[in-house]
Amino acid sequence: MLWCALCLPNPCGTESLASAQHGLALWALQFTPRVTRLDEAVLMEVQASLRLFGGAVELAARVRADSPALGVVSVAWAPTALGALALARAERGEVGHACDCGGGGEVDTTPLAERLDALPFTVLTVTAPLADTLAQLGCRTLGDLRALPRGGLTRRFGPALVEALDQAYGLRSPAFSWVTLPQTFCARLDLMARVENAMALVFAAKRLLLQLQGWLVARNAGVTAFTLRWQHDGLRPQPGEEGDALVIRTAQPMRDMAHLSRLLAEQLARVQLAAPVETLILEVDSVCDYRPPTASLLPDAAEDRDALNRVLERLAARLGAQRVVRPVLREDARPEWAQQWVPVSAPMRARPVSATVRSEGLPQPTFLLPEPLRLAVRGNRPLYQGELQLLLGPHRVEGGWWHRVEVAGGAAESRQVARDYWVALSAHAGALWVFQTRVAGEDAAWFLHGVFA
Amino acid sequence: MTSPALVSSSRLADLPPAVAASVWRGDDLAVPTGAVVSSGWAALDAELPGGGWPCGSLTEVLSPQPSLLEWRLLGQALRQVTADGGNVVLVGPPKPPFLPGLQALGLQARQLIWVQTETPAQRLWVTEQLVQADTAGAVLAWLPQARAEPLRRLQSRLQGGRTLCIALRPEGARSESSPAGLRLLAQTGPDWTLRVQVLKRRGPLHDQTLVLPSVPSSLEAVLSRRTRLPSRCLALPDGARHAVVRPVSAEPLRH
């Protein structure tokens, strides 16, 4: 058995001890299902999970790195629950006795009895009310207490004291009520100080995201949408300004904290706070099953794709989803409607349109102007950076009589085209795709529409 | 008395092989540490260190104007990249890319991503983010205005990575210093050719112009023998003006 005790300060800043413990327990559930609350601490039993997290040393390093953000003030590891708690309390130094035996968040292999014997007896919860009497008996440490006859101790102080001592030293195993995983996630954080800058909320939200990560790992899920709400301080009770919210969506189920907090930062960068913020609330809107990345030695195509998706998501968060796009082919002969750009985050159609056959054998440019550009004409020849040489053509593109769009004023305008496309050469601009068409009131006009770059 | 060259080569032989391989002497072409992607022309490959476009190093392609020859020059390499499963990300192209034409090059819709940007700072930021992800794909960034420092940052982010990153820049940038490992000047020539000059590479100075045959791939099937050499058949006397526009190719179009 390997227990880890995570001690919270009591009283616990602005938030109540219960809510801090709840958040910490959520985070701890990612390591093991055996998590329990005891007094002011959260205890977890991790023996069965050691291999998954790369051994006791790795796990201790990870706990030490993440736990301060959740408000934990001391961490200790021991083979029994009460032993770990006693060591954690001793390390916190509240008992007024500097301790160099077993705390510090490291896993210590010294026998537990040796480490506990040296601790002051006040580290156990049951002994705290008896402190005066025990001190008058000449006890200072747990070792002194243990040296007293058990029968006498039981008669004088009741069975609870001896039982707690046995539990701490591993002679008897206590029963715990384990923390169960909630079905939904909603975490709340009262900020230490009023926050006036939206970007500063990113740092405050880190604690909530850590809890979210623990909850997701424990549920074996990844988040696809979550909401960050903030409430303004109560000093400004203006109607409609109690707070605001931000919904973050991800393309793939995600539990990587660094990525989630970067997405949050990109979105918060655009937020203007109406008033100082007092409270943050993180809610999960939807989750999906999460497939963790395969640990492979060789570079993996799927891993590459995930890395690219993550960076594209970040780009879309800053630039807007409409600006990170991929093409989709449409069945249309008119080049403007032959392709459509859709956001990368939109789901891909399983079966792509088989429009490739249509364009085969016909010249197709590689760049298309967003709008055809009217060309000047000299002596019946179109001009674009000099006179154009018409090389190949004409290729007739005609259609779209069925395509009518509403324009301003309620009238419908036809998008019918009747064009003769040519491949033209320009001395400076390379190979161009131009077309000739009739325009209202004139004979014919030339337009530049694409480039064979 | 031994010549300096002999001394240095004998010292090179004393080094462990792994170290000796990474020593580059200025008079021969360097061997890049990362992968390379063949450009598709043997003549160009022979002039590029390692025999192709380098991955994990910034390459600059200068051209007289944007959207002139990008796909003709890089198409073969991009086809290779996508065949290996990589994505091609375009950052701020001068005009919207046209998929049917790119499909003729061998690019697939699902492997093409267009990132639309507005400001030069955005282009650089986007390119940097993409490069940092270090995926096995290609990033084509049109960077008409970029100073040396951001490019240097780009180059250092790229170093040792797998991304094929090509910055497309105007010819005017030729006089500016550049941290790119490879720098080319590409222009169009007559009769479907590209004229390429290697301005900077890890190797001896290259002072010739390579003439590379390059017909846009969607025209490959439709060009006739005559239209493959337009300068010979179509040279119009300056005074000649036709009252009616007619196809300059006398042959009927082959489908």
Side-chain angles (χ1 to χ4, degrees):
Chain A
M1 298 268 262
L2 181 61
W3 283 85
C4 175
L6 304 152
C7 260
L8 290 164
N10 194 11
C12 199
T14 53
E15 56 186 333
S16 67
L17 181 64
S19 82
Q21 261 185 330
H22 177 69
L24 183 59
L26 277 185
W27 170 81
L29 276 168
Q30 67 182 300
F31 301 112
T32 168
R34 291 161 69 107
V35 174
T36 185
R37 292 188 233 176
L38 200 60
D39 300 330
E40 85 283 14
V42 170
L43 297 165
M44 57 179 180
E45 201 278 298
V46 291
Q47 184 66 51
S49 325
L50 283 185
R51 199 189 143 110
L52 179 62
F53 290 95
V57 176
E58 285 275 314
L59 181 57
R62 186 156 161 200
V63 168
R64 200 169 53 244
D66 281 357
S67 55
L70 291 154
V72 172
V73 286
S74 65
V75 180
W77 300 77
T80 65
L82 288 185
L85 180 58
L87 288 166
R89 282 176 180 165
E91 192 215 340
R92 201 172 62 190
E94 262 189 17
V95 286
H97 185 284
C99 172
D100 53 350
C101 46
E106 300 291 346
V107 179
D108 196 344
T109 48
T110 336
L112 178 67
E114 265 178 49
R115 292 156 67 197
L116 287 180
D117 277 351
L119 301 182
F121 61 75
T122 44
V123 293
L124 287 187
T125 318
V126 282
T127 54
L130 313 172
D132 288 343
T133 322
L134 286 170
Q136 282 164 8
L137 282 174
C139 293
R140 283 193 312 109
T141 62
L142 286 176
D144 296 341
L145 202 57
R146 206 158 65 105
L148 294 173
R150 291 168 62 91
L153 271 184
T154 314
R155 273 196 302 280
R156 178 146 186 192
F157 297 108
L161 177 61
V162 176
E163 198 174 318
L165 269 180
D166 285 351
Q167 287 174 358
Y169 282 84
L171 303 175
R172 199 183 294 189
S173 55
F176 292 108
S177 60
W178 305 116
V179 172
T180 50
L181 188 70
Q183 287 295 308
T184 57
F185 180 90
C186 176
R188 179 190 171 94
L189 177 68
D190 293 318
L191 300 175
M192 301 282 242
R194 305 284 173 270
V195 172
E196 300 183 359
N197 182 355
M199 285 310 282
L201 292 179
V202 178
F203 298 100
K206 187 184 176 198
R207 183 166 178 171
L208 296 174
L209 286 176
L210 270 174
Q211 297 175 10
L212 171 66
Q213 189 185 23
W215 183 79
L216 287 172
V217 172
R219 279 192 66 98
N220 195 23
V223 67
T224 50
F226 63 95
T227 311
L228 183 74
R229 291 179 198 289
W230 55 90
Q231 290 174 353
H232 297 146
D233 60 358
L235 300 175
R236 293 154 212 248
Q238 289 166 13
E241 282 202 1
E242 288 85 15
D244 209 347
L246 196 61
V247 181
I248 314 266
R249 291 175 195 284
T250 62
Q252 253 117 36
M254 182 64 63
R255 65 162 73 140
D256 179 18
M257 233 210 60
H259 181 65
L260 290 179
S261 85
R262 264 201 301 261
L263 280 184
L264 203 57
E266 292 292 351
Q267 301 274 1
L268 280 174
R270 289 193 248 151
V271 168
Q272 189 77 40
L273 292 180
V277 173
E278 182 169 56
T279 307
L280 276 183
I281 299 170
L282 188 71
E283 282 173 0
V284 167
D285 298 333
S286 74
V287 291
C288 276
D289 284 347
Y290 178 77
R291 193 178 55 81
T294 320
S296 160
L297 186 63
L298 302 169
D300 190 7
E303 195 182 309
D304 251 15
R305 205 163 46 239
D306 287 349
L308 185 70
N309 281 338
R310 273 200 297 277
V311 69
L312 291 177
E313 214 165 271
R314 209 155 64 233
L315 299 186
R318 181 177 286 197
L319 304 175
Q322 294 303 321
R323 320 200 59 170
V324 183
V325 289
R326 69 166 87 245
V328 175
L329 279 184
R330 311 287 295 276
E331 282 287 4
D332 205 317
R334 299 164 299 165
E336 292 98 321
W337 287 278
Q339 70 174 355
Q340 193 189 13
W341 294 93
V342 296
V344 171
S345 48
M348 236 188 282
R349 212 182 295 184
R351 193 176 52 83
V353 180
S354 58
T356 47
V357 188
R358 170 181 60 74
S359 58
E360 217 135 270
L362 285 178
Q364 297 289 344
T366 46
F367 282 119
L368 193 76
L369 270 63
E371 289 274 313
L373 175 73
R374 177 94 187 247
L375 296 179
V377 176
R378 185 168 67 202
N380 282 332
R381 281 181 179 278
L383 297 174
Y384 183 74
Q385 299 188 14
E387 199 166 278
L388 297 184
Q389 280 187 346
L390 298 178
L391 188 70
L392 266 180
H395 304 135
R396 182 76 168 173
V397 172
E398 188 164 357
W401 52 264
W402 58 86
H403 189 172
R404 305 182 81 80
V405 289
E406 291 278 331
V407 290
E413 201 176 271
S414 172
R415 286 280 174 266
Q416 183 178 4
V417 303
R419 299 164 174 172
D420 287 328
Y421 276 95
W422 295 76
V423 178
L425 286 184
S426 154
H428 301 291
L432 304 174
W433 208 37
V434 298
F435 68 81
Q436 191 179 26
T437 189
R438 280 177 175 284
V439 284
E442 290 174 63
D443 198 14
W446 285 95
F447 291 85
L448 172 66
H449 205 191
V451 185
F452 295 89
Chain B
M1 204 177 153
T2 46
S3 71
L6 277 179
V7 171
S8 70
S9 65
S10 71
R11 279 191 193 147
L12 215 54
D14 293 342
L15 292 172
V19 179
S22 59
V23 172
W24 162 59
R25 291 171 40 170
D27 54 352
D28 47 38
L29 279 180
V31 179
T33 45
V36 295
V37 182
S38 165
S39 71
W41 291 280
L44 181 57
D45 281 350
E47 298 300 333
L48 299 179
W53 305 112
C55 300
S57 166
L58 184 64
T59 302
E60 265 188 36
V61 173
L62 312 184
S63 61
Q65 48 175 291
S67 71
L68 179 63
L69 43 72
E70 285 89 342
W71 299 107
R72 280 162 74 186
L73 182 65
L74 303 170
Q76 300 273 356
L78 295 181
R79 182 192 306 217
Q80 183 84 42
V81 166
T82 51
D84 294 344
N87 285 286
V88 176
V89 187
L90 314 175
V91 182
K95 298 181 175 68
F98 190 53
L99 186 60
L102 299 178
Q103 278 184 330
L105 271 175
L107 300 186
Q108 294 304 317
R110 53 184 58 221
Q111 286 172 306
L112 192 72
I113 292 147
W114 173 20
V115 183
Q116 305 172 10
T117 52
E118 269 168 0
T119 59
Q122 256 180 12
R123 289 165 194 252
L124 282 165
W125 179 78
V126 167
T127 316
E128 223 174 281
Q129 296 292 317
L130 288 167
V131 159
Q132 226 170 0
D134 188 28
T135 54
V139 176
L140 261 59
W142 279 262
L143 303 171
Q145 301 160 32
R147 283 172 303 127
E149 300 99 84
L151 290 177
R152 188 175 320 265
R153 210 164 56 232
L154 214 56
Q155 163 76 343
S156 69
R157 291 261 157 96
L158 268 165
Q159 221 122 55
R162 293 177 296 152
T163 313
L164 173 67
C165 180
I166 295 181
L168 296 146
R169 310 205 52 211
E171 196 184 355
R174 184 177 178 172
S175 54
E176 296 164 18
S177 78
S178 161
L182 178 65
R183 226 173 173 210
L184 278 85
L185 173 66
Q187 291 163 305
T188 48
D191 294 341
W192 306 110
T193 56
L194 293 178
R195 304 166 70 82
V196 176
Q197 256 175 291
V198 183
L199 300 179
K200 176 183 174 187
R201 61 175 173 179
R202 296 186 68 191
L205 191 68
H206 182 252
D207 52 1
Q208 296 149 15
T209 300
L210 298 169
V211 179
L212 310 171
S214 129
V215 178
S217 41
S218 74
L219 294 182
E220 195 75 60
V222 288
L223 285 186
S224 65
R225 225 175 27 236
R226 283 163 62 86
T227 50
R228 265 171 201 277
L229 298 170
S231 69
R232 254 182 246 174
C233 321
L234 302 178
L236 286 169
D238 245 18
R241 295 276 179 256
H242 299 265
V244 182
V245 176
R246 59 171 179 76
V248 277
S249 150
E251 292 179 16
L253 191 67
R254 289 187 289 125
H255 283 289

